Amino acid sequence: MAARQPRFNQAVLIDTTPLPESVPKVEEVGASSAPLMSASYFIGARCRAYNDDYMVCKTEAHGRGEFECMKEGRKVTRCAASVIDDITKNCLQEFRNHWECLEDNNQQLWQCRKWEWNLNGCVYQKLGLEKKIPGAPENETPVHLRRRQIYSQNENGVIT
């Protein structure tokens, strides 16, 4: 038992200092972790150039560069928001099914492959974006395309 009673600070600290005018204004993506995870490979596919520019900026700043790389970071945010907007306009039901499954299953992708296949097909057909896992072996079927998963749940909910 601790000898000291815990103290909790209920105040919210917000920095009200405005950003410099050189930093472009951008709205936040406005999505929680499950929709972001569901759309992550499509965001990576469309926004790769912006992501690479941001990472080059951060690398050249030796891990610092919060202000120096804000322009590049804002471009990444705008691009990610545009991908989510396009997915919701064109594949809303498939997107919602997939991210709700992720939300309900502790964000374990293997438990939501059925919904993922539907989403991948819709996004490829309507937006031309394809899910590719970086670093996946060329001579093997990618894990998200395998019809028989290594881990699966039987009808009783038991992982086999």
Side-chain angles (χ1 to χ4, degrees), residues 125-157:
Q125 182 182 32
K126 295 186 178 175
L127 301 176
L129 297 174
E130 188 173 9
K131 177 178 178 176
K132 292 197 187 240
I133 299 175
E138 294 289 328
N139 58 349
E140 291 182 19
T141 303
V143 68
H144 65 283
L145 296 178
R146 295 179 189 157
R147 287 289 167 196
R148 181 161 162 69
Q149 297 294 311
I150 296 172
Y151 298 106
S152 63
Q153 286 183 340
N154 63 22
E155 55 275 356
N156 297 327

PDB file of all heavy atoms in Angstrom, residues 125-157:
ATOM      1  N   GLN A 125     -11.764  -1.330 -57.103  1.00  0.00           N
ATOM      2  CA  GLN A 125     -12.662  -1.121 -58.236  1.00  0.00           C
ATOM      3  C   GLN A 125     -13.008   0.357 -58.425  1.00  0.00           C
ATOM      4  O   GLN A 125     -13.024   0.855 -59.550  1.00  0.00           O
ATOM      5  CB  GLN A 125     -13.933  -1.934 -58.032  1.00  0.00           C
ATOM      6  CG  GLN A 125     -14.920  -1.837 -59.173  1.00  0.00           C
ATOM      7  CD  GLN A 125     -16.182  -2.620 -58.895  1.00  0.00           C
ATOM      8  OE1 GLN A 125     -16.605  -2.746 -57.745  1.00  0.00           O
ATOM      9  NE2 GLN A 125     -16.779  -3.145 -59.949  1.00  0.00           N
ATOM     10  N   LYS A 126     -13.282   1.063 -57.343  1.00  0.00           N
ATOM     11  CA  LYS A 126     -13.774   2.435 -57.459  1.00  0.00           C
ATOM     12  C   LYS A 126     -12.689   3.504 -57.355  1.00  0.00           C
ATOM     13  O   LYS A 126     -12.846   4.596 -57.897  1.00  0.00           O
ATOM     14  CB  LYS A 126     -14.860   2.686 -56.423  1.00  0.00           C
ATOM     15  CG  LYS A 126     -16.085   1.813 -56.688  1.00  0.00           C
ATOM     16  CD  LYS A 126     -17.210   2.137 -55.775  1.00  0.00           C
ATOM     17  CE  LYS A 126     -18.406   1.254 -56.126  1.00  0.00           C
ATOM     18  NZ  LYS A 126     -19.499   1.443 -55.200  1.00  0.00           N
ATOM     19  N   LEU A 127     -11.600   3.213 -56.639  1.00  0.00           N
ATOM     20  CA  LEU A 127     -10.553   4.224 -56.445  1.00  0.00           C
ATOM     21  C   LEU A 127      -9.217   3.837 -57.073  1.00  0.00           C
ATOM     22  O   LEU A 127      -8.309   4.660 -57.149  1.00  0.00           O
ATOM     23  CB  LEU A 127     -10.344   4.498 -54.953  1.00  0.00           C
ATOM     24  CG  LEU A 127     -11.552   5.002 -54.173  1.00  0.00           C
ATOM     25  CD1 LEU A 127     -11.218   5.138 -52.702  1.00  0.00           C
ATOM     26  CD2 LEU A 127     -12.042   6.317 -54.736  1.00  0.00           C
ATOM     27  N   GLY A 128      -9.079   2.569 -57.452  1.00  0.00           N
ATOM     28  CA  GLY A 128      -7.832   2.118 -58.056  1.00  0.00           C
ATOM     29  C   GLY A 128      -6.694   1.942 -57.065  1.00  0.00           C
ATOM     30  O   GLY A 128      -5.536   1.862 -57.467  1.00  0.00           O
ATOM     31  N   LEU A 129      -7.007   1.880 -55.778  1.00  0.00           N
ATOM     32  CA  LEU A 129      -5.972   1.694 -54.749  1.00  0.00           C
ATOM     33  C   LEU A 129      -5.940   0.232 -54.339  1.00  0.00           C
ATOM     34  O   LEU A 129      -6.980  -0.372 -54.096  1.00  0.00           O
ATOM     35  CB  LEU A 129      -6.257   2.566 -53.530  1.00  0.00           C
ATOM     36  CG  LEU A 129      -6.230   4.069 -53.761  1.00  0.00           C
ATOM     37  CD1 LEU A 129      -6.670   4.802 -52.505  1.00  0.00           C
ATOM     38  CD2 LEU A 129      -4.845   4.524 -54.168  1.00  0.00           C
ATOM     39  N   GLU A 130      -4.746  -0.315 -54.252  1.00  0.00           N
ATOM     40  CA  GLU A 130      -4.591  -1.727 -53.917  1.00  0.00           C
ATOM     41  C   GLU A 130      -3.800  -1.870 -52.626  1.00  0.00           C
ATOM     42  O   GLU A 130      -2.843  -1.131 -52.397  1.00  0.00           O
ATOM     43  CB  GLU A 130      -3.864  -2.442 -55.056  1.00  0.00           C
ATOM     44  CG  GLU A 130      -3.818  -3.930 -54.924  1.00  0.00           C
ATOM     45  CD  GLU A 130      -3.231  -4.597 -56.151  1.00  0.00           C
ATOM     46  OE1 GLU A 130      -2.706  -3.900 -57.028  1.00  0.00           O
ATOM     47  OE2 GLU A 130      -3.280  -5.824 -56.211  1.00  0.00           O
ATOM     48  N   LYS A 131      -4.205  -2.835 -51.804  1.00  0.00           N
ATOM     49  CA  LYS A 131      -3.486  -3.091 -50.561  1.00  0.00           C
ATOM     50  C   LYS A 131      -2.237  -3.899 -50.869  1.00  0.00           C
ATOM     51  O   LYS A 131      -2.316  -4.979 -51.443  1.00  0.00           O
ATOM     52  CB  LYS A 131      -4.360  -3.864 -49.573  1.00  0.00           C
ATOM     53  CG  LYS A 131      -3.628  -4.208 -48.294  1.00  0.00           C
ATOM     54  CD  LYS A 131      -4.501  -4.916 -47.311  1.00  0.00           C
ATOM     55  CE  LYS A 131      -3.701  -5.281 -46.065  1.00  0.00           C
ATOM     56  NZ  LYS A 131      -4.536  -5.891 -45.050  1.00  0.00           N
ATOM     57  N   LYS A 132      -1.093  -3.349 -50.511  1.00  0.00           N
ATOM     58  CA  LYS A 132       0.181  -4.054 -50.642  1.00  0.00           C
ATOM     59  C   LYS A 132       0.907  -3.931 -49.317  1.00  0.00           C
ATOM     60  O   LYS A 132       1.038  -2.832 -48.782  1.00  0.00           O
ATOM     61  CB  LYS A 132       1.029  -3.460 -51.750  1.00  0.00           C
ATOM     62  CG  LYS A 132       0.446  -3.692 -53.121  1.00  0.00           C
ATOM     63  CD  LYS A 132       1.470  -3.464 -54.184  1.00  0.00           C
ATOM     64  CE  LYS A 132       0.781  -3.537 -55.511  1.00  0.00           C
ATOM     65  NZ  LYS A 132       1.227  -4.521 -56.378  1.00  0.00           N
ATOM     66  N   ILE A 133       1.378  -5.059 -48.808  1.00  0.00           N
ATOM     67  CA  ILE A 133       2.105  -5.060 -47.542  1.00  0.00           C
ATOM     68  C   ILE A 133       3.585  -4.874 -47.845  1.00  0.00           C
ATOM     69  O   ILE A 133       4.177  -5.685 -48.560  1.00  0.00           O
ATOM     70  CB  ILE A 133       1.867  -6.370 -46.769  1.00  0.00           C
ATOM     71  CG1 ILE A 133       0.372  -6.510 -46.459  1.00  0.00           C
ATOM     72  CG2 ILE A 133       2.701  -6.409 -45.503  1.00  0.00           C
ATOM     73  CD1 ILE A 133      -0.011  -7.819 -45.807  1.00  0.00           C
ATOM     74  N   PRO A 134       4.196  -3.804 -47.336  1.00  0.00           N
ATOM     75  CA  PRO A 134       5.622  -3.572 -47.597  1.00  0.00           C
ATOM     76  C   PRO A 134       6.478  -4.701 -47.029  1.00  0.00           C
ATOM     77  O   PRO A 134       6.246  -5.182 -45.926  1.00  0.00           O
ATOM     78  CB  PRO A 134       5.921  -2.259 -46.864  1.00  0.00           C
ATOM     79  CG  PRO A 134       4.595  -1.640 -46.595  1.00  0.00           C
ATOM     80  CD  PRO A 134       3.604  -2.753 -46.525  1.00  0.00           C
ATOM     81  N   GLY A 135       7.438  -5.145 -47.822  1.00  0.00           N
ATOM     82  CA  GLY A 135       8.358  -6.176 -47.370  1.00  0.00           C
ATOM     83  C   GLY A 135       7.823  -7.593 -47.462  1.00  0.00           C
ATOM     84  O   GLY A 135       8.487  -8.529 -47.029  1.00  0.00           O
ATOM     85  N   ALA A 136       6.635  -7.776 -48.028  1.00  0.00           N
ATOM     86  CA  ALA A 136       6.081  -9.125 -48.170  1.00  0.00           C
ATOM     87  C   ALA A 136       6.855  -9.865 -49.253  1.00  0.00           C
ATOM     88  O   ALA A 136       7.208  -9.280 -50.279  1.00  0.00           O
ATOM     89  CB  ALA A 136       4.603  -9.058 -48.531  1.00  0.00           C
ATOM     90  N   PRO A 137       7.139 -11.161 -49.042  1.00  0.00           N
ATOM     91  CA  PRO A 137       7.881 -11.932 -50.054  1.00  0.00           C
ATOM     92  C   PRO A 137       7.113 -11.971 -51.382  1.00  0.00           C
ATOM     93  O   PRO A 137       5.899 -12.155 -51.400  1.00  0.00           O
ATOM     94  CB  PRO A 137       7.979 -13.327 -49.444  1.00  0.00           C
ATOM     95  CG  PRO A 137       7.733 -13.145 -47.988  1.00  0.00           C
ATOM     96  CD  PRO A 137       6.860 -11.950 -47.857  1.00  0.00           C
ATOM     97  N   GLU A 138       7.837 -11.806 -52.479  1.00  0.00           N
ATOM     98  CA  GLU A 138       7.228 -11.770 -53.805  1.00  0.00           C
ATOM     99  C   GLU A 138       6.638 -13.119 -54.224  1.00  0.00           C
ATOM    100  O   GLU A 138       5.656 -13.172 -54.937  1.00  0.00           O
ATOM    101  CB  GLU A 138       8.271 -11.328 -54.841  1.00  0.00           C
ATOM    102  CG  GLU A 138       8.747  -9.908 -54.669  1.00  0.00           C
ATOM    103  CD  GLU A 138       7.687  -8.886 -55.043  1.00  0.00           C
ATOM    104  OE1 GLU A 138       6.884  -9.163 -55.946  1.00  0.00           O
ATOM    105  OE2 GLU A 138       7.664  -7.811 -54.421  1.00  0.00           O
ATOM    106  N   ASN A 139       7.256 -14.213 -53.795  1.00  0.00           N
ATOM    107  CA  ASN A 139       6.849 -15.533 -54.273  1.00  0.00           C
ATOM    108  C   ASN A 139       5.769 -16.189 -53.413  1.00  0.00           C
ATOM    109  O   ASN A 139       5.419 -17.334 -53.639  1.00  0.00           O
ATOM    110  CB  ASN A 139       8.070 -16.459 -54.362  1.00  0.00           C
ATOM    111  CG  ASN A 139       8.778 -16.593 -53.026  1.00  0.00           C
ATOM    112  OD1 ASN A 139       8.496 -15.864 -52.085  1.00  0.00           O
ATOM    113  ND2 ASN A 139       9.718 -17.515 -52.946  1.00  0.00           N
ATOM    114  N   GLU A 140       5.221 -15.477 -52.434  1.00  0.00           N
ATOM    115  CA  GLU A 140       4.182 -16.023 -51.566  1.00  0.00           C
ATOM    116  C   GLU A 140       2.895 -15.221 -51.711  1.00  0.00           C
ATOM    117  O   GLU A 140       2.929 -14.039 -52.014  1.00  0.00           O
ATOM    118  CB  GLU A 140       4.610 -15.970 -50.092  1.00  0.00           C
ATOM    119  CG  GLU A 140       5.736 -16.899 -49.732  1.00  0.00           C
ATOM    120  CD  GLU A 140       6.082 -16.820 -48.251  1.00  0.00           C
ATOM    121  OE1 GLU A 140       5.247 -16.339 -47.454  1.00  0.00           O
ATOM    122  OE2 GLU A 140       7.192 -17.231 -47.901  1.00  0.00           O
ATOM    123  N   THR A 141       1.782 -15.902 -51.460  1.00  0.00           N
ATOM    124  CA  THR A 141       0.499 -15.206 -51.438  1.00  0.00           C
ATOM    125  C   THR A 141       0.461 -14.326 -50.185  1.00  0.00           C
ATOM    126  O   THR A 141       0.700 -14.820 -49.089  1.00  0.00           O
ATOM    127  CB  THR A 141      -0.665 -16.215 -51.394  1.00  0.00           C
ATOM    128  OG1 THR A 141      -0.555 -17.083 -52.511  1.00  0.00           O
ATOM    129  CG2 THR A 141      -1.996 -15.505 -51.416  1.00  0.00           C
ATOM    130  N   PRO A 142       0.172 -13.040 -50.348  1.00  0.00           N
ATOM    131  CA  PRO A 142       0.113 -12.170 -49.160  1.00  0.00           C
ATOM    132  C   PRO A 142      -0.926 -12.668 -48.159  1.00  0.00           C
ATOM    133  O   PRO A 142      -1.935 -13.250 -48.525  1.00  0.00           O
ATOM    134  CB  PRO A 142      -0.294 -10.809 -49.731  1.00  0.00           C
ATOM    135  CG  PRO A 142       0.052 -10.868 -51.172  1.00  0.00           C
ATOM    136  CD  PRO A 142      -0.081 -12.298 -51.576  1.00  0.00           C
ATOM    137  N   VAL A 143      -0.672 -12.422 -46.915  1.00  0.00           N
ATOM    138  CA  VAL A 143      -1.506 -12.958 -45.840  1.00  0.00           C
ATOM    139  C   VAL A 143      -2.960 -12.523 -45.970  1.00  0.00           C
ATOM    140  O   VAL A 143      -3.872 -13.282 -45.676  1.00  0.00           O
ATOM    141  CB  VAL A 143      -0.923 -12.599 -44.451  1.00  0.00           C
ATOM    142  CG1 VAL A 143      -1.010 -11.106 -44.186  1.00  0.00           C
ATOM    143  CG2 VAL A 143      -1.614 -13.366 -43.353  1.00  0.00           C
ATOM    144  N   HIS A 144      -3.207 -11.319 -46.440  1.00  0.00           N
ATOM    145  CA  HIS A 144      -4.581 -10.831 -46.540  1.00  0.00           C
ATOM    146  C   HIS A 144      -5.334 -11.426 -47.732  1.00  0.00           C
ATOM    147  O   HIS A 144      -6.545 -11.267 -47.827  1.00  0.00           O
ATOM    148  CB  HIS A 144      -4.609  -9.301 -46.585  1.00  0.00           C
ATOM    149  CG  HIS A 144      -3.967  -8.722 -47.800  1.00  0.00           C
ATOM    150  ND1 HIS A 144      -2.606  -8.638 -47.941  1.00  0.00           N
ATOM    151  CD2 HIS A 144      -4.496  -8.199 -48.927  1.00  0.00           C
ATOM    152  CE1 HIS A 144      -2.317  -8.087 -49.100  1.00  0.00           C
ATOM    153  NE2 HIS A 144      -3.454  -7.808 -49.728  1.00  0.00           N
ATOM    154  N   LEU A 145      -4.632 -12.118 -48.638  1.00  0.00           N
ATOM    155  CA  LEU A 145      -5.291 -12.753 -49.781  1.00  0.00           C
ATOM    156  C   LEU A 145      -5.478 -14.255 -49.613  1.00  0.00           C
ATOM    157  O   LEU A 145      -6.098 -14.894 -50.456  1.00  0.00           O
ATOM    158  CB  LEU A 145      -4.494 -12.480 -51.062  1.00  0.00           C
ATOM    159  CG  LEU A 145      -4.400 -11.019 -51.484  1.00  0.00           C
ATOM    160  CD1 LEU A 145      -3.545 -10.879 -52.724  1.00  0.00           C
ATOM    161  CD2 LEU A 145      -5.779 -10.444 -51.704  1.00  0.00           C
ATOM    162  N   ARG A 146      -4.943 -14.811 -48.551  1.00  0.00           N
ATOM    163  CA  ARG A 146      -5.079 -16.251 -48.323  1.00  0.00           C
ATOM    164  C   ARG A 146      -6.504 -16.573 -47.904  1.00  0.00           C
ATOM    165  O   ARG A 146      -7.049 -15.958 -47.002  1.00  0.00           O
ATOM    166  CB  ARG A 146      -4.112 -16.709 -47.234  1.00  0.00           C
ATOM    167  CG  ARG A 146      -2.672 -16.561 -47.638  1.00  0.00           C
ATOM    168  CD  ARG A 146      -1.743 -16.993 -46.524  1.00  0.00           C
ATOM    169  NE  ARG A 146      -0.386 -16.629 -46.879  1.00  0.00           N
ATOM    170  CZ  ARG A 146       0.587 -16.457 -46.019  1.00  0.00           C
ATOM    171  NH1 ARG A 146       0.358 -16.614 -44.731  1.00  0.00           N
ATOM    172  NH2 ARG A 146       1.787 -16.131 -46.426  1.00  0.00           N
ATOM    173  N   ARG A 147      -7.089 -17.541 -48.569  1.00  0.00           N
ATOM    174  CA  ARG A 147      -8.467 -17.936 -48.234  1.00  0.00           C
ATOM    175  C   ARG A 147      -8.513 -18.717 -46.927  1.00  0.00           C
ATOM    176  O   ARG A 147      -9.480 -18.655 -46.195  1.00  0.00           O
ATOM    177  CB  ARG A 147      -9.074 -18.781 -49.363  1.00  0.00           C
ATOM    178  CG  ARG A 147      -9.395 -17.954 -50.559  1.00  0.00           C
ATOM    179  CD  ARG A 147     -10.567 -17.056 -50.288  1.00  0.00           C
ATOM    180  NE  ARG A 147     -10.693 -16.047 -51.325  1.00  0.00           N
ATOM    181  CZ  ARG A 147     -11.411 -14.976 -51.219  1.00  0.00           C
ATOM    182  NH1 ARG A 147     -12.090 -14.726 -50.131  1.00  0.00           N
ATOM    183  NH2 ARG A 147     -11.484 -14.107 -52.189  1.00  0.00           N
ATOM    184  N   ARG A 148      -7.478 -19.482 -46.632  1.00  0.00           N
ATOM    185  CA  ARG A 148      -7.433 -20.217 -45.370  1.00  0.00           C
ATOM    186  C   ARG A 148      -6.415 -19.539 -44.475  1.00  0.00           C
ATOM    187  O   ARG A 148      -5.222 -19.561 -44.741  1.00  0.00           O
ATOM    188  CB  ARG A 148      -7.060 -21.673 -45.617  1.00  0.00           C
ATOM    189  CG  ARG A 148      -7.018 -22.500 -44.367  1.00  0.00           C
ATOM    190  CD  ARG A 148      -7.113 -23.989 -44.705  1.00  0.00           C
ATOM    191  NE  ARG A 148      -6.676 -24.833 -43.629  1.00  0.00           N
ATOM    192  CZ  ARG A 148      -7.303 -24.985 -42.486  1.00  0.00           C
ATOM    193  NH1 ARG A 148      -8.390 -24.328 -42.247  1.00  0.00           N
ATOM    194  NH2 ARG A 148      -6.843 -25.806 -41.562  1.00  0.00           N
ATOM    195  N   GLN A 149      -6.909 -18.945 -43.409  1.00  0.00           N
ATOM    196  CA  GLN A 149      -6.041 -18.229 -42.482  1.00  0.00           C
ATOM    197  C   GLN A 149      -5.405 -19.211 -41.488  1.00  0.00           C
ATOM    198  O   GLN A 149      -5.995 -20.231 -41.149  1.00  0.00           O
ATOM    199  CB  GLN A 149      -6.856 -17.183 -41.717  1.00  0.00           C
ATOM    200  CG  GLN A 149      -7.450 -16.116 -42.600  1.00  0.00           C
ATOM    201  CD  GLN A 149      -6.395 -15.236 -43.238  1.00  0.00           C
ATOM    202  OE1 GLN A 149      -5.513 -14.739 -42.568  1.00  0.00           O
ATOM    203  NE2 GLN A 149      -6.491 -15.066 -44.545  1.00  0.00           N
ATOM    204  N   ILE A 150      -4.223 -18.886 -41.030  1.00  0.00           N
ATOM    205  CA  ILE A 150      -3.546 -19.733 -40.049  1.00  0.00           C
ATOM    206  C   ILE A 150      -4.333 -19.730 -38.751  1.00  0.00           C
ATOM    207  O   ILE A 150      -4.553 -20.758 -38.145  1.00  0.00           O
ATOM    208  CB  ILE A 150      -2.103 -19.246 -39.821  1.00  0.00           C
ATOM    209  CG1 ILE A 150      -1.306 -19.405 -41.116  1.00  0.00           C
ATOM    210  CG2 ILE A 150      -1.447 -20.011 -38.691  1.00  0.00           C
ATOM    211  CD1 ILE A 150       0.080 -18.789 -41.068  1.00  0.00           C
ATOM    212  N   TYR A 151      -4.773 -18.549 -38.325  1.00  0.00           N
ATOM    213  CA  TYR A 151      -5.596 -18.436 -37.133  1.00  0.00           C
ATOM    214  C   TYR A 151      -7.029 -18.188 -37.570  1.00  0.00           C
ATOM    215  O   TYR A 151      -7.279 -17.391 -38.457  1.00  0.00           O
ATOM    216  CB  TYR A 151      -5.143 -17.275 -36.240  1.00  0.00           C
ATOM    217  CG  TYR A 151      -3.742 -17.429 -35.723  1.00  0.00           C
ATOM    218  CD1 TYR A 151      -2.717 -16.659 -36.238  1.00  0.00           C
ATOM    219  CD2 TYR A 151      -3.461 -18.339 -34.729  1.00  0.00           C
ATOM    220  CE1 TYR A 151      -1.427 -16.794 -35.767  1.00  0.00           C
ATOM    221  CE2 TYR A 151      -2.174 -18.480 -34.254  1.00  0.00           C
ATOM    222  CZ  TYR A 151      -1.167 -17.706 -34.770  1.00  0.00           C
ATOM    223  OH  TYR A 151       0.104 -17.842 -34.307  1.00  0.00           O
ATOM    224  N   SER A 152      -7.946 -18.859 -36.955  1.00  0.00           N
ATOM    225  CA  SER A 152      -9.353 -18.610 -37.258  1.00  0.00           C
ATOM    226  C   SER A 152     -10.183 -18.995 -36.056  1.00  0.00           C
ATOM    227  O   SER A 152      -9.740 -19.741 -35.175  1.00  0.00           O
ATOM    228  CB  SER A 152      -9.795 -19.392 -38.491  1.00  0.00           C
ATOM    229  OG  SER A 152      -9.684 -20.767 -38.257  1.00  0.00           O
ATOM    230  N   GLN A 153     -11.401 -18.503 -36.020  1.00  0.00           N
ATOM    231  CA  GLN A 153     -12.318 -18.855 -34.950  1.00  0.00           C
ATOM    232  C   GLN A 153     -13.326 -19.862 -35.490  1.00  0.00           C
ATOM    233  O   GLN A 153     -13.824 -19.716 -36.595  1.00  0.00           O
ATOM    234  CB  GLN A 153     -13.069 -17.628 -34.448  1.00  0.00           C
ATOM    235  CG  GLN A 153     -12.239 -16.715 -33.628  1.00  0.00           C
ATOM    236  CD  GLN A 153     -13.045 -15.549 -33.093  1.00  0.00           C
ATOM    237  OE1 GLN A 153     -14.091 -15.221 -33.609  1.00  0.00           O
ATOM    238  NE2 GLN A 153     -12.543 -14.939 -32.035  1.00  0.00           N
ATOM    239  N   ASN A 154     -13.605 -20.883 -34.679  1.00  0.00           N
ATOM    240  CA  ASN A 154     -14.677 -21.797 -35.087  1.00  0.00           C
ATOM    241  C   ASN A 154     -16.009 -21.227 -34.628  1.00  0.00           C
ATOM    242  O   ASN A 154     -16.079 -20.143 -34.062  1.00  0.00           O
ATOM    243  CB  ASN A 154     -14.428 -23.207 -34.548  1.00  0.00           C
ATOM    244  CG  ASN A 154     -14.425 -23.280 -33.026  1.00  0.00           C
ATOM    245  OD1 ASN A 154     -14.986 -22.408 -32.366  1.00  0.00           O
ATOM    246  ND2 ASN A 154     -13.808 -24.315 -32.482  1.00  0.00           N
ATOM    247  N   GLU A 155     -17.084 -21.956 -34.877  1.00  0.00           N
ATOM    248  CA  GLU A 155     -18.408 -21.418 -34.585  1.00  0.00           C
ATOM    249  C   GLU A 155     -18.642 -21.175 -33.098  1.00  0.00           C
ATOM    250  O   GLU A 155     -19.546 -20.438 -32.712  1.00  0.00           O
ATOM    251  CB  GLU A 155     -19.509 -22.332 -35.152  1.00  0.00           C
ATOM    252  CG  GLU A 155     -19.442 -23.763 -34.703  1.00  0.00           C
ATOM    253  CD  GLU A 155     -18.501 -24.609 -35.558  1.00  0.00           C
ATOM    254  OE1 GLU A 155     -17.955 -24.141 -36.540  1.00  0.00           O
ATOM    255  OE2 GLU A 155     -18.284 -25.759 -35.192  1.00  0.00           O
ATOM    256  N   ASN A 156     -17.827 -21.742 -32.217  1.00  0.00           N
ATOM    257  CA  ASN A 156     -17.971 -21.522 -30.786  1.00  0.00           C
ATOM    258  C   ASN A 156     -17.141 -20.347 -30.281  1.00  0.00           C
ATOM    259  O   ASN A 156     -17.101 -20.072 -29.088  1.00  0.00           O
ATOM    260  CB  ASN A 156     -17.577 -22.787 -30.011  1.00  0.00           C
ATOM    261  CG  ASN A 156     -18.489 -23.952 -30.325  1.00  0.00           C
ATOM    262  OD1 ASN A 156     -19.675 -23.764 -30.578  1.00  0.00           O
ATOM    263  ND2 ASN A 156     -17.936 -25.148 -30.349  1.00  0.00           N
ATOM    264  N   GLY A 157     -16.427 -19.676 -31.195  1.00  0.00           N
ATOM    265  CA  GLY A 157     -15.623 -18.540 -30.801  1.00  0.00           C
ATOM    266  C   GLY A 157     -14.239 -18.916 -30.287  1.00  0.00           C
ATOM    267  O   GLY A 157     -13.524 -18.083 -29.777  1.00  0.00           O
TER     268      GLY A 157
END
